[in-house]
C-alpha cells in the first residue's frame, strides 16, 4: 500500500464518512426496491439483468442470500420494508479490490474505457480515475462519440447520443445539452457500452482491456469477456451475480445516487491505495 498523502482519509475516517453520507449503513434505496429488483432478476427481466446472461439458476432466495453476502443486506425474507442496509466493511473491501485492479491496469498500461449511467452523481468519481490512469500511461478510450443509441425506457424507445466528458462515457438526449457538458441521462442499459465497443472494433481501433463504471457498462462489458469493475447499489443484483459467476472482477457495494461531492473522499482513498495519487 502507498503511503498517506494530504487529504486522504484513513480507513476509519472513510468508514465514518460512508455512514455519515449514507453511502453505506442505512441507505436511501428501500427494501421494497431491492426485493423488487431481485424478483425481476429471477424472471430474467432485461431492465435488471443489465446485459448479463446468467449461467446459473438464480431464484429470489438465491439472490437475497447473495446480496446479504456481498452487500450486507438482511437475509431475512420477511424483512420487506424500510431502508436497505450496506455493510461499510464490505464497501471498504470493495474499494480496496477496485484499487488493486486499477494498480494492475496502470502497471501494465492497458487501454481502459470508463462509462456511467449516473452522470449527474458519479461523473466526477470516474473522471478522476480516468485522469490518474491516463497520467500512468493507460490509453483512455473514447470510441463512437456521437453515435445514436436507441434505448427502451418506460416511455418507449428513446434515441440518445453517446458522448464523453473528461474521458467518461455517458448518453444524452439529442439537443438537450451541448457536447461536453457535464449532464446526461440516467440509464441501466448495456447498449451504450455495446455501441462503444462496436465502434472501436469497426474502426479497427484499440479495444479496452478494462471497463470501469456501473449498471450496463459493467455487465455489458463483462458479458462480452472484457474485465469489468464498478459500483453497485442494493437494487443492482446483476453486478454481484456477475462477480459471483466470474464475469465481473469487482462490484463495490454503495449507494450510487448521493450527492456527487460525497464520492470525493472515496476517489482519494482508491487512488492512494492504487498508488495513482497525483
Amino acid at each position: 500500500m502507498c503511503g498517506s498523502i494530504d487529504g486522504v482519509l484513513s480507513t476509519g475516517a472513510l468508514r465514518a464518512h460512508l455512514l455519515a453520507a449514507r453511502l453505506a449503513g442505512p441507505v436511501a434505496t428501500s427494501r421494497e426496491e431491492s426485493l423488487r429488483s431481485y424478483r425481476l432478476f429471477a424472471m430474467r427481466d432485461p431492465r435488471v439483468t443489465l446485459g448479463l446472461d446468467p449461467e446459473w439458476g438464480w431464484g429470489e432466495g438465491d439472490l437475497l442470500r447473495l446480496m446479504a453476502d456481498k452487500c450486507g443486506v438482511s437475509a431475512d425474507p420477511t424483512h420487506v420494508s424500510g431502508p436497505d442496509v450496506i455493510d461499510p466493511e464490505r464497501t471498504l473491501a470493495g474499494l480496496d479490490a477496485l484499487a488493486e485492479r486499477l494498480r494492475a491496469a496502470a502497471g501494465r498500461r492497458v487501454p481502459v474505457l470508463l462509462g456511467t449511467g449516473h452522470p449527474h452523481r458519479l461523473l466526477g468519481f470516474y473522471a478522476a480515475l480516468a485522469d490518474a490512469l491516463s497520467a500512468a500511461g493507460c490509453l483512455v478510450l473514447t470510441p463512437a462519440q456521437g453515435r445514436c443509441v436507441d434505448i427502451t425506457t418506460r416511455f418507449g424507445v428513446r434515441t440518445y447520443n453517446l458522448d464523453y466528458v473528461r474521458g467518461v462515457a455517458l448518453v444524452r438526449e439529442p439537443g438537450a445539452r451541448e457536447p461536453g457538458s457535464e449532464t446526461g441521462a440516467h440509464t441501466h442499459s448495456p447498449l451504450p457500452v455495446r455501441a462503444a465497443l462496436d465502434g472501436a472494433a469497426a474502426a479497427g481501433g484499440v479495444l479496452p482491456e478494462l471497463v470501469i463504471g456501473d449498471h450496463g457498462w459493467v455487465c455489458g462489458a463483462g458479458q462480452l469477456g472484457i474485465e469489468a469493475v464498478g459500483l453497485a447499489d442494493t437494487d443492482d443484483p446483476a453486478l454481484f451475480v456477475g462477480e459471483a459467476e466470474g464475469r465481473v472482477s469487482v462490484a463495490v457495494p454503495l449507494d450510487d445516487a448521493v450527492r456527487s461531492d460525497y464520492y470525493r473522499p472515496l476517489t482519494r482513498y482508491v487512488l492512494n491505495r492504487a498508488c495513482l495519487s497525483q
Side-chain angles (χ1 to χ4, degrees):
M1 185 183 73
C2 296
S4 296
I5 60 171
D6 291 343
V8 175
L9 298 181
S10 67
T11 299
L14 183 59
R15 182 187 297 106
H17 171 72
L18 292 172
L19 294 170
R22 295 190 68 187
L23 285 155
V27 294
T29 306
S30 71
R31 180 69 166 182
E32 293 92 335
E33 290 175 275
S34 296
L35 293 176
R36 177 177 180 272
S37 290
Y38 308 160
R39 185 165 56 253
L40 292 174
F41 190 97
M43 298 167 60
R44 301 298 186 265
D45 190 311
R47 292 174 294 177
V48 292
T49 56
L50 310 183
L52 191 74
D53 183 13
E55 294 179 357
W56 306 346
W58 293 92
E60 290 181 57
D62 302 313
L63 291 164
L64 184 56
R65 286 187 291 273
L66 174 75
M67 297 301 285
D69 177 57
K70 296 286 189 179
C71 299
V73 305
S74 172
D76 182 358
T78 67
H79 177 201
V80 296
S81 63
D84 225 331
V85 175
I86 295 174
D87 177 5
E89 297 303 325
R90 289 171 169 84
T91 304
L92 289 167
L95 293 171
D96 288 343
L98 174 62
E100 183 56 38
R101 299 316 305 150
L102 297 182
R103 177 158 56 176
R108 294 185 291 117
R109 297 187 177 182
V110 304
V112 297
L113 174 66
L114 299 94
T116 182
H118 272 297
H120 57 308
R121 305 294 187 186
L122 292 170
L123 179 62
F125 177 83
Y126 296 122
L129 303 188
D131 288 344
L133 288 167
S134 177
C138 293
L139 178 62
V140 177
L141 303 175
T142 57
Q145 182 159 9
R147 176 172 289 198
C148 293
V149 184
D150 293 329
I151 299 175
T152 300
T153 73
R154 59 180 174 170
F155 305 109
V157 177
R158 294 278 181 91
T159 298
Y160 297 88
N161 289 337
L162 183 62
D163 197 10
Y164 292 85
V165 178
R166 298 172 59 196
V168 182
L170 50 83
V171 296
R172 65 175 91 251
E173 294 188 43
R177 296 278 182 170
E178 291 296 318
S181 65
E182 296 194 6
T183 58
H186 174 224
T187 179
H188 287 215
S189 175
L191 297 179
V193 73
R194 292 176 187 168
L197 295 172
D198 179 68
V206 177
L207 290 173
E209 293 185 34
L210 177 67
V211 172
I212 305 164
D214 46 61
H215 294 164
W217 286 93
V218 174
C219 291
Q223 180 65 33
L224 295 174
I226 299 171
E227 183 176 14
V229 299
L231 313 178
D233 210 331
T234 59
D235 61 348
D236 293 328
L239 280 82
F240 299 101
V241 169
E243 188 178 42
E245 293 190 348
R247 276 171 289 169
V248 171
S249 290
V250 177
V252 182
L254 50 69
D255 190 314
D256 59 8
V258 303
R259 282 174 34 178
S260 58
D261 57 315
Y262 287 170
Y263 297 98
R264 290 176 190 158
L266 281 66
T267 305
R268 296 194 295 271
Y269 179 87
V270 168
L271 293 180
N272 190 53
R273 289 269 172 162
C275 299
L276 292 173
S277 298
Q278 299 178 44

